[in-house]
Amino acid sequence: MKAIEMSCLLLSGAAMTGALLLGTLSNNAHAATTAAKAATPQEAIEACKGKKEGDKVDLPVGNGKTAKAICRKAGNQLVAMRTASIGP
């Protein structure tokens, strides 16, 4: 096999590998985004109802406790994202 043919064969194999890798990464990113949306607690959504992005809210975390949070966009929806840990 000539050197030029061998180079073309190697380059086409590398291009196929790259295309498959990009496709896999894209699918993984989409799956992570979908999982994050599904895992958003209703309390985080409710805390930001009627608010705008960047507003500070108290996020209920159970047992009558709250955590400081900020309303942020998650996809096309505002959700409360914690800014500090819960105290003792």
Side-chain angles (χ1 to χ4, degrees):
M1 190 177 273
K2 294 181 184 177
I4 293 175
E5 290 173 347
M6 186 63 126
S7 294
C8 288
L9 185 61
L10 288 173
L11 285 173
S12 66
M16 287 287 285
T17 301
L20 289 171
L21 179 61
L22 285 175
T24 301
L25 291 174
S26 176
N27 284 342
N28 287 346
H30 177 70
T33 302
T34 302
K37 285 181 185 177
T40 302
Q42 190 62 33
E43 294 86 0
I45 296 167
E46 292 293 324
C48 289
K49 285 218 178 195
K51 306 287 184 186
K52 62 182 188 284
E53 189 169 14
D55 283 352
K56 294 180 182 180
V57 295
D58 289 322
L59 177 65
V61 292
N63 295 332
K65 295 183 180 183
T66 60
K68 300 291 182 196
I70 295 178
C71 294
R72 301 269 188 225
K73 282 276 193 183
N76 59 359
Q77 176 172 1
L78 276 180
V79 297
M81 296 187 184
R82 290 173 49 173
T83 58
S85 61
I86 304 170

